[in-house]
Amino acid sequence: MAKTIAEINERIRKGKAVVVTAEEVVDIARAKGVSKAAEEIDVVTTGTFGPMCGSGAFLNVGHSKPRIKLGGGKVYLNDVPVYTGIAAVDVFLGATAIPDDDPRNKFYPGEFNYGGGYVIQELVAGKDIILTASAYGTDCYPRKKLETLINIRDINEAILFNVRNAYQNYSVAVNLSDKVRYTYMGVLKPNLGNANYSTAGQLSPLFNDPYYKTIGVGTRIFLGGGAGYVAWHGTQHNPTALRADNGVPRRGAGTLAVIGDLKQMKPEWLVGTSMLGYGCTLTVGIGVPIPILSEETLHYTIVSDADILAPIVDYSEAYPQREPDILGEVSYAELKSGNIRVRDKDVPTASLSSYPKAVEIANILKKWIETGEFLLTEPVAPLPGVESGITFKALKERPIS
Amino acid sequence: MNVSRRIVLHFPPNMTGQPVVCHLVKDFGLTFNIIKASISPGQEGLLILELSGERKNYDKGIKYLAETGIEIQSLSQDVVRDEARCTHCGACVTICPTEAFALEPKTRKVLFDHNKCVVCGLCVKACPPRAMILYL
Ligand code: SF4
Ligand code: SF4
């Protein structure tokens, strides 16, 4: 009994769709069996809420009188530099940008208390943002200086466009050295003092559709508290990563590029974030609905934390030196137990991605679909899968001249 | 008059081999109770003590500690959690030396027990969304 997205949408419109979260589906399938569950369930919702550096927003701030060409000039939003190498009054605000006068790691470890991710959150919250700009002036854009407040309500477009989000699996970070390491995976205590991981496990979107059979370009999703879309596969998308028998990648694999109207989003789902000694970023909330088109699609969604493995990587040496060595593999069930064993030592675990918030996202998306306000879309193109042969390349340095 | 206070000592790497706490007992007649210690030779160390004794001696002891180059946390601070900013990620759980954070097993929400907090400040900088706030 195969279903189509059109049929599922018909049921959503009538308020009759059966929607469950990726957490709930595990028990339902266990109780009823996969085939009965696949017949009854229309959509499984997923969620994830973690720091995602590949995030940012395009803003069109409107034309001043007289006009100024921000393109090619220097522009700051709340002292955070934005990218201006595009059209006259379009800028790109990246999540990891930090003010020019931030001391960085000069006072090690740097605190990175403010940056692009925080500006995005304040913008979404409707706060006024200070724009300062200097430009070179042209015949048609004579002005050279601009200082003004802007507000998301008044500017033309504010488009969140994240080139890499929702990583399908991620390494567990530990520190084998005898010094504290400050990393993008958090503060790592010496001598295997802690282990940090960062995915929602069984609730995470791409763990529930490991071969990208339903998620594709054009899939409508929960993004930052509003509706957004999968725009493309994300950067570093690596479908050919090592997989377990159940299809689930055992290493970092697929990623999503996502896009959406920032004006509809909410500040509680786009949170400015600081990693001590590393930098600034944005914690992003994403939820992807998975249409249950067949027993096979349902089968993939019943994956649970015990079936998903992640590699343990030393961030004091192996990671920075790009050595391939791993210290073993652990399941998300073990990670969530609070302790894992690494080299015969009990190591306490902590997460950088919020599981309670991932649950909340999956439930919000479920409600949107149940009440008929969120319809599913048919992907217009698939994401590159295993057959694409795409692999994640390292940079090969070549001498100049 | 006797005083008894909880203090946090940050040891620079060159100091961790030295028996400073012995001096507090021997030279100033203070008594102590170690709440938490994470010190190994050649590394930055952290020691959380409940230090008690005669007021005059207590002040002298603190002065001695300050002269050795150990950083002493001021005692009248407070750390609170901004509930609106906390995302319940859990990054603080393994950072806190006194286990003031605990995971609620069912919901995986992060509970903060203010009474266990000794205001060492470690979580303030390690919390990714900066939800832990230090009041001076
Ligand atoms: S690290 Fe910060 S945001 Fe995360 S659970 Fe702890 S207090 Fe909350
Ligand atoms: S300041 Fe933070 S890390 Fe230190 S004891 Fe209090 S809660 Fe724990």
Side-chain angles (χ1 to χ4, degrees):
Chain A
M1 66 80 252
K3 273 182 259 180
T4 64
I5 290 181
E7 284 162 8
I8 294 174
N9 275 339
E10 206 33 56
R11 291 165 63 76
I12 297 175
R13 270 192 215 98
K14 289 186 184 139
K16 284 190 178 152
V18 178
V19 190
V20 301
T21 69
E23 202 180 46
E24 294 162 345
V25 75
V26 180
D27 289 337
I28 297 174
R30 203 169 287 151
K32 297 193 170 179
V34 169
S35 99
K36 186 110 198 299
E39 214 166 289
E40 288 178 15
I41 298 170
D42 294 307
V43 186
V44 171
T45 60
T46 62
T48 186
F49 189 65
M52 304 191 197
C53 291
S55 305
F58 283 101
L59 311 174
N60 178 291
V61 299
H63 290 266
S64 61
K65 183 177 159 73
R67 295 179 196 266
I68 183 167
K69 180 177 183 286
L70 303 177
K74 278 201 174 345
V75 178
Y76 296 88
L77 294 176
N78 284 358
D79 288 337
V80 174
V82 298
Y83 181 71
T84 63
I86 35 173
V89 294
D90 289 327
V91 298
F92 180 75
L93 167 60
T96 68
I98 44 177
D100 290 347
D101 61 1
D102 185 291
R104 272 92 179 151
N105 266 339
K106 217 164 171 181
F107 302 106
Y108 176 82
E111 295 187 13
F112 303 99
N113 288 318
Y114 197 76
Y118 290 85
V119 182
I120 291 174
Q121 187 178 19
E122 287 177 24
L123 203 59
V124 177
K127 291 196 184 149
D128 282 342
I129 305 288
I130 301 167
L131 180 152
T132 54
S134 58
Y136 52 82
T138 73
D139 288 345
C140 45
Y141 288 85
R143 198 152 163 192
K144 291 187 177 165
K145 285 246 175 294
L146 175 64
E147 281 188 23
T148 179
L149 290 175
I150 61 164
N151 193 292
I152 196 169
R153 282 190 309 269
D154 310 324
I155 63 178
N156 290 311
E157 284 81 22
I159 306 161
L160 189 74
F161 188 10
N162 303 346
V163 287
R164 181 169 70 251
N165 279 179
Y167 232 120
Q168 187 180 24
N169 216 347
Y170 214 84
S171 306
V172 179
V174 296
N175 174 4
L176 292 180
S177 77
D178 58 9
K179 250 178 57 197
V180 181
R181 301 286 166 153
Y182 300 95
T183 74
Y184 70 87
M185 289 298 287
V187 179
L188 300 175
K189 300 202 273 188
N191 305 314
L192 292 168
N194 59 347
N196 284 355
Y197 64 99
S198 190
T199 99
Q202 61 191 11
L203 258 185
S204 186
L206 292 177
F207 276 145
N208 286 281
D209 183 10
Y211 290 113
Y212 331 118
K213 297 211 174 201
T214 69
I215 304 173
V217 176
T219 296
R220 182 179 290 138
I221 60 171
F222 172 108
L223 177 59
Y229 295 87
V230 173
W232 204 248
H233 61 277
T235 53
Q236 295 182 192
H237 182 69
N238 187 20
T240 54
L242 180 67
R243 288 173 190 261
D245 291 341
N246 57 5
V248 173
R250 287 158 59 182
R251 303 287 180 272
T255 66
L256 298 177
V258 298
I259 193 163
D261 179 6
L262 196 63
K263 293 192 179 197
Q264 316 160 23
M265 296 185 195
K266 300 201 169 65
E268 56 272 40
W269 301 110
L270 293 169
V271 176
T273 299
S274 308
M275 302 311 295
L276 186 60
Y278 180 75
C280 263
T281 183
L282 183 70
T283 294
V284 181
I286 293 184
V288 178
I290 304 200
I292 301 305
L293 305 174
S294 63
E295 272 183 37
E296 191 194 4
T297 45
L298 182 102
H299 185 80
Y300 287 127
T301 64
I302 60 181
V303 70
S304 71
D305 286 332
D307 315 319
I308 310 172
L309 296 176
I312 305 165
V313 174
D314 169 35
Y315 272 62
S316 70
E317 189 60 28
Y319 185 84
Q321 298 307 326
R322 220 192 73 206
E323 300 296 343
D325 329 8
I326 65 164
L327 299 166
E329 287 180 304
V330 273
S331 75
Y332 282 92
E334 291 169 90
L335 285 165
K336 288 181 183 172
S337 76
N339 258 294
I340 57 171
R341 276 235 27 115
V342 187
R343 291 199 168 167
D344 294 324
K345 199 179 162 191
D346 271 327
V347 184
T349 58
S351 171
L352 299 175
S353 136
S354 169
Y355 195 76
K357 293 283 173 184
V359 173
E360 213 177 315
I361 289 170
N363 278 310
I364 293 173
L365 186 54
K366 173 177 164 175
K367 193 131 176 234
W368 286 354
I369 299 171
E370 280 174 343
T371 54
E373 58 180 288
F374 185 105
L375 292 176
L376 308 188
T377 57
E378 195 94 50
V380 290
L383 299 177
V386 179
E387 72 298 335
S388 71
I390 291 178
T391 56
F392 175 31
K393 297 191 205 64
L395 175 66
K396 280 204 197 84
E397 292 175 58
R398 290 183 293 145
I400 301 166
S401 84
Chain B
M1 192 185 72
N2 270 321
V3 288
S4 176
R5 282 185 188 158
R6 292 208 263 182
I7 57 169
V8 184
L9 306 178
H10 296 271
F11 287 70
N14 60 333
M15 285 289 308
T16 53
Q18 300 187 31
V20 280
V21 179
C22 276
H23 286 290
L24 292 178
V25 179
K26 259 196 3 239
D27 303 348
F28 306 102
L30 302 177
T31 58
F32 67 91
N33 179 13
I34 295 183
I35 296 167
K36 183 85 193 179
S38 62
I39 299 187
S40 35
Q43 289 170 40
E44 307 105 83
L46 180 97
L47 185 64
I48 301 166
L49 289 179
E50 181 151 8
L51 194 62
S52 325
E54 176 78 16
R55 177 78 209 219
K56 242 182 21 243
N57 293 336
Y58 181 91
D59 290 345
K60 279 188 200 152
I62 293 289
K63 193 159 163 265
Y64 155 76
L65 285 175
E67 280 163 3
T68 62
I70 292 168
E71 190 194 319
I72 312 163
Q73 201 98 31
S74 151
L75 310 170
S76 54
Q77 300 169 337
D78 194 17
V79 163
V80 297
R81 182 162 77 174
D82 177 348
E83 297 299 332
R85 274 205 83 78
C86 172
T87 64
H88 295 275
C89 63
C92 51
V93 175
T94 56
I95 295 298
C96 175
T98 62
E99 288 168 17
F101 299 98
L103 277 182
E104 224 254 322
K106 206 156 166 256
T107 61
R108 301 198 67 78
K109 286 205 165 162
V110 178
L111 309 173
F112 172 50
D113 184 347
H114 186 256
N115 292 327
K116 284 192 182 165
C117 172
V118 293
V119 200
C120 73
L122 287 177
C123 63
V124 175
K125 291 174 186 171
C127 164
R130 296 288 187 261
M132 299 305 295
I133 299 165
L134 179 67
Y135 286 98
L136 297 176

